[in-house]
Amino acid sequence: MTLSKKHLILDVSTRWNATYAMLSTTLEFKEVFVNYDDRKSTYKTMPTSEAWDKVEVICSFFGLFNEVTKIISGSEYPASNLFLSELYGIKEVLDDLSLDESKYMRDMDLKMKKKFDKYWGTCNLLISIGAVLDPRYKMKLVEFSFSSIYSADEAPKKMKIVQDTLTKMFEEYVEQHKATNVVQMSSAPDKSEIGVKSGYNKLSSTVGINSGTAKYDQHIISVDTFASVKSELDIYLEEGVYIGDSGAYFDALEWWKEKNLKFKILSKMAADVLAIPITTVASKSAFSAGGRVIDAHRASLGTKTVDMLICGADWYRHHYGLHKKKTKKTDDMIYIELP
C-alpha cells in the first residue's frame, strides 16, 4: 500500500512496550540512517530532525509502559495485588498527556485512553480488593489512587463500593467456615462413648469428664469462630501497613501463609483472591502451549501427563532464566504522521 505521507506505523496498537523497544532501538542507530542515506542514492525515506525529536518524545513517554509491562504482562504472571499501583500511574500519565502542547501527542493519548478506559478505566473491584489484601497497601493505596483517578465527588463513592464488597466477601467466608465447623463437630465421635467402650471402671466419672470436655470444645469453637473471626478484617485494616526494605522482593501470598494462625479466615480469602489471574494472557498462553505439546502424534496423552509436560517446561525455564519467544500478527495498526 502506498501512503500519501510518511507515517510511523505501529503494527500492534496495544503493545506499547513493543513500540518502545522498536523506537528506542532505532534511536541507538540514528547515525546509521544518515550514513545509509549518503551511500545509497535510492534511499528516499530519511527521517527529518523533527521526526527524530518526535521519536525521542514518544520514547520517553513509552518508557513508563515498558517498565509496567515487565511487572504485569511478563512471562511470570503476578498476583492481583500488583496491578492497582501500576495502573494508577499509567492513568495519571495519560491524563497529563491530554494537556500536552503537541497535537500528535494529544491525538495519540486520545486513542490510548480509549483503549485503557475500556479495560481498566472503571472501578475494577478485583484489582482494588487485591490491593487491599496486600499488607503494604491495604485501603491506603485505594484512598490515594482513587483521589487522583476520580473526581472529589466520585472518589468516596468508589471507595465505599470497594469497602462494602470486601466486607460482604469476608462475611461469606465466615459463614462458610462456621458451616464447616458444624459439619466437623457433628461427624466427630462422642468422647463419652469412647470412654464407655474403653471399659473404664469409674464409668460415671469418666463419662462426666469426657462429656463436659466435649461440650466445652463445642462451645469454645462456636464462640471463637463467631467472635474472633468476624473481627479479623477490622483488625487487619486497623493495623499499620507493612513496610519492608526498599526494593526488596515481597511475596504477599507468603506473608498470608505466615499469618495463617492470626487470620484464619482472612488468609484463606486472600489466597483465593490473589490467585485469580487478571489478564487473559495466561490462559491464551496455556492454550498455545497445549497445542505444541498435544500434536497429531501425541493426541492420546493423558491429562496428568500433559500437566507435567507443561508445568515442567515452565519450571525449567524459570530455573535457568529462560524466556519464551512471543510472535503475534495483527491488523490493528496506528499511523503517526511524520513531517
Side-chain angles (χ1 to χ4, degrees):
M1 180 177 65
T2 303
L3 300 176
S4 58
K5 297 181 180 180
K6 290 184 291 183
H7 290 76
L8 172 63
I9 302 176
L10 311 183
D11 55 349
V12 185
S13 61
T14 55
R15 294 289 183 87
W16 301 320
N17 61 310
T19 302
Y20 168 78
M22 176 184 67
L23 295 179
S24 60
T25 303
T26 303
L27 283 175
E28 294 179 5
F29 296 94
K30 180 178 178 180
E31 298 301 325
V32 175
F33 287 86
V34 179
N35 295 334
Y36 189 72
D37 184 49
D38 293 338
R39 299 179 59 181
K40 195 74 173 179
S41 59
T42 57
Y43 180 59
K44 302 297 183 182
T45 55
M46 174 66 183
T48 64
S49 59
E50 185 178 352
W52 284 117
D53 292 339
K54 284 186 176 182
V55 171
E56 290 179 357
V57 173
I58 293 173
C59 268
S60 63
F61 172 65
F62 279 151
L64 169 66
F65 294 94
N66 182 58
E67 294 302 318
V68 171
T69 301
K70 292 178 181 179
I71 298 175
I72 65 177
S73 298
S75 58
E76 302 297 329
Y77 303 103
S80 57
N81 58 302
L82 301 179
F83 279 71
L84 182 59
S85 58
E86 303 300 334
L87 294 174
Y88 149 72
I90 292 179
K91 176 70 173 178
E92 194 173 46
V93 171
L94 289 174
D95 289 340
D96 293 340
L97 189 62
S98 63
L99 305 175
D100 194 89
E101 296 178 355
S102 305
K103 183 179 183 301
Y104 72 94
M105 291 296 287
R106 293 197 304 270
D107 292 342
M108 183 178 66
D109 174 70
L110 183 63
K111 295 179 180 180
M112 294 176 70
K113 283 188 67 175
K114 184 177 180 181
K115 289 282 188 180
F116 183 88
D117 291 339
K118 178 180 178 181
Y119 295 102
W120 312 108
T122 57
C123 179
N124 191 305
L125 285 174
L126 178 57
I127 292 176
S128 300
I129 292 174
V132 175
L133 293 175
D134 189 320
R136 300 171 298 171
Y137 303 143
K138 300 188 178 181
M139 282 297 294
K140 300 296 184 182
L141 177 61
V142 174
E143 296 169 0
F144 175 76
S145 60
F146 280 23
S147 61
S148 297
I149 295 175
Y150 302 105
S151 65
D153 294 333
E154 285 294 319
K157 297 177 183 178
K158 299 295 185 181
M159 286 187 281
K160 188 176 186 305
I161 292 175
V162 174
Q163 181 69 61
D164 292 345
T165 305
L166 188 68
T167 302
K168 290 179 181 178
M169 286 182 61
F170 180 69
E171 289 174 353
E172 291 180 2
Y173 274 80
V174 170
E175 293 301 321
Q176 182 181 2
H177 182 73
K178 290 169 66 176
T180 303
N181 280 343
V182 170
V183 172
Q184 291 177 347
M185 287 187 293
S186 62
S187 61
D190 190 342
K191 292 187 178 181
S192 61
E193 295 180 1
I194 295 177
V196 173
K197 293 179 180 180
S198 298
Y200 287 106
N201 293 328
K202 297 181 180 181
L203 181 60
S204 60
S205 176
T206 303
V207 171
I209 293 174
N210 283 330
S211 61
T213 302
K215 290 180 180 179
Y216 173 76
D217 289 344
Q218 183 177 357
H219 166 74
I220 199 64
I221 289 175
S222 62
V223 172
D224 180 65
T225 300
F226 180 79
S228 62
V229 170
K230 192 169 185 179
S231 61
E232 275 186 17
L233 180 60
D234 294 332
I235 294 173
Y236 168 73
L237 294 177
E238 289 171 2
E239 291 180 348
V241 297
Y242 173 82
I243 301 177
D245 296 333
S246 179
Y249 174 75
F250 178 78
D251 189 338
L253 286 171
E254 185 65 27
W255 187 91
W256 280 108
K257 182 179 180 181
E258 295 174 357
K259 301 295 182 180
N260 179 53
L261 295 178
K262 182 178 180 180
F263 301 109
K264 292 182 291 185
I265 307 304
L266 193 58
S267 61
K268 176 66 169 63
M269 174 178 158
D272 290 344
V273 172
L274 297 179
I276 299 174
I278 300 297
T279 69
T280 59
V281 176
S283 59
K284 289 180 180 179
S285 177
F287 281 109
S288 178
R292 292 192 297 270
V293 173
I294 312 175
D295 57 20
H297 303 285
R298 310 170 77 182
S300 61
L301 290 177
T303 55
K304 290 185 177 180
T305 304
V306 174
D307 286 343
M308 287 188 290
L309 289 171
I310 295 177
C311 292
D314 285 340
W315 294 337
Y316 181 87
R317 281 189 291 267
H318 177 72
H319 180 75
Y320 291 101
L322 304 177
H323 299 282
K324 298 178 182 178
K325 292 183 178 179
K326 299 180 180 180
T327 58
K328 182 179 179 180
K329 296 182 179 179
T330 180
D331 295 329
D332 190 10
M333 297 183 179
I334 286 180
Y335 297 86
I336 300 176
E337 184 176 338
L338 300 176

